Amino acid sequence: MASEQKKERSVNEDHGGCSGTSTYDRRKQNQNEGGQQSSDTNPAPWDRFSNWIHCICIVTFDLELGQAIEVIYPVDAQLQEEDKTNICYLAFPDSNSSCMGDTKFHIRIRQTPGGPDLLPVHLLYNQKCPVYLQVDNGYFYGYVYFRQVKDITLPRGYFQKSVILISRFPFINLFSELVSLIAPEFFDNGCESVEAACHDIDQWPAPTPGDTLNLPILGTVLQVQVPCDSGRGGSSSSLVPSGGNVTLISSPQMPTVLPSVYEVNTFDVFSTVLYHMHLLWELVLTAEPIVVMASSPATSAQMVQALVSMITPLMYYADYRPYFTIHDSEFREYTTRTQAPPPIILGVTNPFFAKTLQHWPHIIKVPDSFNGSNFQKHKIRKGNHLKMLDTKPGVYTQYQPFLQKDKTILKKIMKGVQTKRPGEVQSALLRRHLLELTQSFMIPLERYMGTLMPLQKNISPYKAAPQPWPFNPDDFIASLETSGPQLTSGIKGDWVGLYRRFFRSPNFSGWYNARYKGMNQKLQILQLEALSDADLKKWVVDKKEVEVVDMILKIKCKLEKCDAEDMPLGEETRRQLKCRLQDIVCTLPEDLRTVLSYS
């Protein structure tokens, strides 16, 4: 498609066509009339909408342009041109001839540099949510509802249009349910229904981790709990949300309760590859390049999301795309044969990828549909069988797992299939098993990281905070004999080999960098706490004027750093430090006091 086809365009068509105008045109006007910036108690129009959703796009098929954005809500939403282009191409199934009716799936796109930053509410959310559910300034999620039906009144004989919710949040269940409510209303009643939905969302409270919320939308009320991590002191996160506030917007409707805002149906998705679950867990843990080939974007997206969630509560730090097309701006980056594939999980549907990506080391060919009741056992297919990709489902890899399979969980799941155990229970069993497996792997690493913290007695109030000791892989491996995963897991195998492979992955570097940053912040806070308890009046007695000034500036700098990096410095410590500053400022000449007096 020519480059000029990539421009956004407003298109008027039947079946819910839009003119490109909406109540959002008044958004900035209302803000200007207010005269002042919004506050938490009196937010500007559409601020609360932006807390949850960046924008809603309507994408249509135009004979001249191909896939084009018909309208964006709000009209002043910031999206780079490259982002708009990617959204357009990802809004439709790559091969849509078989996708008649309605198709629902989700996407993930890398934000073009120069796009909008995270909002303050997103930063607050990141402080308390599980690390694997944090919002990322570099990515958007899109929740797509595509409709294709025959219509002889249109030039191509088909009506093709998508409604896409663009959000920072990886709340797959919540936003998939939301777009399922908004899109049909739009197709039936046009843009007014989208505007009504936006008005409803603009009444929602902020997404505060731990809170239970009733969210009204187009006559329905969705009840959700925003995931919370009760122990964000470490890198691993609890799956059990802590108790929080209950924000209930009054409504005559009985709420529809969503048990989870983000979890996919693990059992149904993995039913065709369950026998290779432990192999796949190792591939995801070590961030190996994986291609998921499916017949529809819904199937590929669910499989990719299920793979990423296998290592919860560890965050998957490599890239992943639930649905990827040949038109993506990063297509060449991922399909070149001149270099090794990057650490990413790609979900694709176009048969062209079977040839283009056959050099990738790990390929999952998913059947046309997966269902937990149709339990299948596909053999691992080696690399020299890649020619069968077009016809036979299965896992194609030459990877040799380090760990043995846990046959107990496989037997338990098989028994559940025979007794027709509910899919929700089967999924809960699988998630619990994978959680325990990941925790068994990570607990020794967490324990070893604890040994790298300097002792608190060595922290001086008058010296810079010490740094954590560096991570030594050999020392860690040596510690496994007495404190390895065998203490919490019965799975046998080459755990040492798996750790060494993990050390070369972005999952390790991402986890370690986050963990190191947390430890370093902890040491900074401990040093400030020691300084707040110190007798600076006594310390200043034999100090030169330049040393006193240097101490004042250092304390101010540390406090500013705490604010800039959102360090959890206690209010009492902060108050005491201000008192200590005043104590030593008072010892200086009057001209310096005026300059250095702490506000």
Side-chain angles (χ1 to χ4, degrees):
M1 186 173 293
S3 60
E4 61 267 17
Q5 295 175 345
K6 297 181 179 180
K7 295 187 294 184
E8 175 192 357
R9 173 179 171 179
S10 293
V11 181
N12 288 313
E13 290 187 9
D14 293 335
H15 306 283
C18 297
S19 64
T21 61
S22 76
T23 56
Y24 285 105
D25 292 323
R26 296 189 293 272
R27 180 182 183 183
K28 287 189 174 180
Q29 178 184 346
N30 291 339
Q31 291 174 332
N32 293 335
E33 289 174 353
Q36 296 179 347
Q37 293 183 344
S38 64
S39 65
D40 292 339
T41 56
N42 187 27
W46 313 117
D47 273 7
R48 285 178 293 196
F49 172 88
S50 300
N51 289 342
W52 290 88
I53 295 177
H54 181 69
C55 64
I56 298 178
C57 300
I58 309 298
V59 177
T60 191
F61 189 90
D62 178 71
L63 284 176
E64 296 179 8
L65 301 181
Q67 288 155 226
I69 292 181
E70 183 175 280
V71 68
I72 297 179
Y73 294 89
V75 294
D76 59 346
Q78 295 182 51
L79 280 177
Q80 303 289 82
E81 288 303 315
E82 188 172 293
D83 294 336
K84 293 178 183 178
T85 301
N86 284 332
I87 289 171
C88 283
Y89 285 125
L90 290 168
F92 285 19
D94 213 358
S95 301
N96 55 39
S97 59
S98 61
C99 294
M100 294 297 293
D102 295 348
T103 303
K104 187 172 63 175
F105 56 96
H106 70 279
I107 60 177
R108 184 174 186 257
I109 62 172
R110 184 189 297 172
Q111 178 180 308
T112 305
D117 293 327
L118 296 182
L119 299 174
V121 71
H122 297 146
L123 300 177
L124 291 173
Y125 164 83
N126 275 353
Q127 292 177 16
K128 297 181 180 180
C129 75
V131 65
Y132 54 90
L133 292 177
Q134 285 186 341
V135 297
D136 189 332
N137 194 43
Y139 290 89
F140 283 119
Y141 291 85
Y143 302 90
V144 183
Y145 195 105
F146 169 73
R147 174 168 290 184
Q148 176 174 258
V149 293
K150 289 184 178 180
D151 190 331
I152 59 174
T153 65
L154 297 177
R156 299 181 76 244
Y158 288 94
F159 167 79
Q160 296 171 314
K161 194 169 290 190
S162 283
V163 177
I164 309 178
L165 310 186
I166 303 296
S167 175
R168 295 288 188 183
F169 292 100
F171 294 166
I172 311 303
N173 289 347
L174 171 60
F175 288 109
S176 294
E177 183 71 20
L178 194 60
V179 77
S180 295
L181 294 170
I182 295 174
E185 286 289 327
F186 163 73
F187 292 132
D188 292 342
N189 303 311
C191 292
E192 291 79 6
S193 59
V194 180
E195 295 185 18
C198 293
H199 178 77
D200 285 345
I201 296 169
D202 193 49
Q203 309 306 310
W204 291 5
T208 304
D211 283 4
T212 298
L213 309 176
N214 274 2
L215 308 176
I217 181 72
L218 297 177
T220 299
V221 178
L222 303 177
Q223 186 175 104
V224 302
Q225 184 175 52
V226 184
C228 178
D229 182 1
S230 58
R232 281 295 296 278
S235 65
S236 293
S237 306
S238 170
L239 284 180
V240 182
S242 66
N245 298 323
V246 178
T247 303
L248 305 178
I249 299 176
S250 60
S251 170
Q253 299 289 331
M254 287 294 293
T256 299
V257 179
L258 297 184
S260 170
V261 295
Y262 67 94
E263 289 176 341
V264 298
N265 190 326
T266 311
F267 172 64
D268 275 2
V269 176
F270 283 153
S271 60
T272 61
V273 293
L274 195 60
Y275 280 97
H276 314 308
M277 179 175 58
H278 297 92
L279 178 149
L280 295 176
W281 176 82
E282 289 189 22
L283 295 181
V284 175
L285 179 73
T286 55
E288 285 287 308
I290 302 173
V291 180
V292 174
M293 296 186 176
S295 59
S296 76
T299 303
S300 74
Q302 289 182 67
M303 177 61 79
V304 171
Q305 201 66 42
L307 288 170
V308 170
S309 68
M310 291 185 87
I311 60 172
T312 300
L314 177 65
M315 181 174 178
Y316 183 76
Y317 283 95
D319 199 359
Y320 66 96
R321 306 299 170 86
Y323 174 51
F324 187 78
T325 76
I326 60 175
H327 302 292
D328 194 283
S329 58
E330 294 153 303
F331 174 77
R332 293 186 181 276
E333 178 183 340
Y334 296 146
T335 56
T336 178
R337 292 173 179 266
T338 59
Q339 60 187 23
I344 188 173
I345 303 178
L346 290 181
V348 301
T349 61
N350 195 315
F352 177 75
F353 283 108
K355 180 179 180 180
T356 308
L357 300 180
Q358 63 177 318
H359 64 290
W360 278 44
H362 318 292
I363 301 174
I364 302 173
K365 180 68 169 62
V366 186
D368 290 344
S369 64
F370 38 60
N371 190 317
S373 61
N374 298 323
F375 193 79
Q376 301 179 50
K377 182 177 180 180
H378 296 294
K379 293 182 179 180
I380 293 290
R381 304 184 188 280
K382 301 302 180 182
N384 58 354
H385 291 142
L386 288 179
K387 292 181 180 179
M388 296 189 296
L389 272 173
D390 290 334
T391 56
K392 294 190 177 182
V395 178
Y396 294 75
T397 182
Q398 296 189 23
Y399 181 84
Q400 295 296 320
F402 289 93
L403 305 182
Q404 299 174 12
K405 294 179 181 177
D406 186 336
K407 295 182 179 179
T408 303
I409 185 65
L410 294 175
K411 290 179 179 177
K412 189 178 294 185
I413 295 296
M414 274 302 302
K415 183 178 179 180
V417 172
Q418 295 166 359
T419 59
K420 300 187 183 302
R421 184 185 294 145
E424 295 82 3
V425 179
Q426 295 277 68
S427 289
L429 287 173
L430 273 179
R431 282 196 293 267
R432 174 57 60 181
H433 172 73
L434 292 169
L435 169 67
E436 292 174 350
L437 181 57
T438 303
Q439 287 179 329
S440 292
F441 184 83
M442 295 304 298
I443 285 173
L445 285 163
E446 291 283 357
R447 186 181 294 115
Y448 174 75
M449 288 296 289
T451 68
L452 304 181
M453 280 284 282
L455 298 177
Q456 188 168 351
K457 66 179 181 180
N458 295 330
I459 297 176
S460 168
Y462 309 116
K463 296 180 181 179
Q467 299 288 314
W469 296 102
F471 187 96
N472 186 310
D474 292 331
D475 288 348
F476 168 74
I477 295 299
S479 72
L480 294 178
E481 186 174 349
T482 56
S483 58
Q486 72 276 4
L487 298 180
T488 53
S489 175
I491 295 180
K492 307 295 183 182
D494 183 9
W495 287 93
V496 171
L498 183 58
Y499 278 115
R500 292 197 181 278
R501 194 177 186 102
F502 177 67
F503 293 155
R504 301 193 295 269
S505 76
N507 284 337
F508 170 72
S509 56
W511 169 83
Y512 175 74
N513 290 337
R515 193 72 173 85
Y516 187 89
K517 179 181 178 181
M519 293 167 62
N520 198 43
Q521 286 187 348
K522 178 64 175 176
L523 290 169
Q524 296 283 346
I525 290 173
L526 288 174
Q527 196 270 339
L528 284 174
E529 289 175 351
L531 188 58
S532 70
D533 291 332
D535 188 350
L536 294 188
K537 288 182 179 179
K538 183 177 180 181
W539 171 84
V540 78
V541 170
D542 59 348
K543 296 296 183 291
K544 297 178 181 179
E545 189 176 282
V546 66
E547 292 178 280
V548 178
V549 171
D550 184 59
M551 173 65 80
I552 293 170
L553 294 177
K554 282 182 178 179
I555 295 176
K556 286 187 175 183
C557 183
K558 287 177 182 290
L559 287 171
E560 290 173 358
K561 184 178 180 182
C562 285
D563 293 336
E565 298 183 6
D566 294 317
M567 291 189 196
L569 183 66
E571 285 302 318
E572 179 61 22
T573 301
R574 190 183 296 271
R575 187 192 64 79
Q576 285 185 246
L577 282 171
K578 291 180 180 180
C579 292
R580 301 294 174 267
L581 278 172
Q582 290 294 356
D583 289 344
I584 57 178
V585 166
C586 291
T587 66
L588 294 171
E590 188 172 350
D591 57 340
L592 279 178
R593 289 187 210 173
T594 305
V595 176
L596 297 173
S597 181
Y598 195 83
S599 58

